[in-house]
Amino acid sequence: MPRSYAISPKQPAPRRLPTVRIAADKAAQFRALARQRGGTASGALAALVAAHADIRQPFAPRVRAKHGPDGKRYGAILPDPKVSEEVAEGLVRDARTAGISLGEAMRQLVDRCLEQSR
């Protein structure tokens, strides 16, 4: 039977998470790891958030980073990934429970990823 041209229901738009401000060395490590695995930093961040939706390991309280040589704590930016609304809501809920910002939650996910990839 041939496919029809019927209008399909509107698909939920993915939610765009904020850009991640992070230390330059960690950003470089994360980008290199993403390239090594054949992906992009944005795709790798989306995969991390999706993995967190399954694992749901609690976040730690915020630990202030020390100033870097150029005077900035977080001198690099990772792109803003797109994830489904359900996955994003889990991350937002877990960040609120820990009393941290969404950016800090994303930094902690990147840290966990880099630690486990060693």
Side-chain angles (χ1 to χ4, degrees):
M1 179 175 189
R3 298 175 82 182
S4 68
Y5 285 97
I7 297 173
S8 60
K10 183 177 179 181
Q11 297 297 318
R15 179 170 173 180
R16 189 174 286 276
L17 295 174
T19 56
V20 180
R21 298 192 60 75
I22 193 165
D25 60 331
K26 289 183 181 183
Q29 291 173 11
F30 188 74
R31 288 179 195 280
L33 182 63
R35 276 192 308 270
Q36 180 185 7
R37 304 278 164 93
T40 63
S42 181
L45 281 173
L48 274 179
V49 174
H52 175 74
D54 292 334
I55 298 169
R56 300 294 296 266
Q57 180 182 352
F59 290 112
R62 181 173 185 222
V63 176
R64 284 202 168 277
K66 299 199 185 319
H67 288 285
D70 60 354
K72 295 181 183 177
R73 288 184 180 106
Y74 304 122
I77 296 177
L78 292 176
D80 47 346
K82 294 179 189 175
V83 296
S84 70
E85 190 65 35
E86 303 85 43
V87 169
E89 283 305 314
L91 182 69
V92 170
R93 241 188 334 267
D94 291 344
R96 282 186 186 145
T97 300
I100 59 174
S101 68
L102 199 51
E104 177 61 22
M106 298 288 286
R107 278 191 290 276
Q108 288 187 26
L109 288 179
V110 170
D111 285 345
R112 291 174 186 175
C113 175
L114 292 175
E115 286 174 15
Q116 291 180 5
S117 68
R118 291 182 187 155

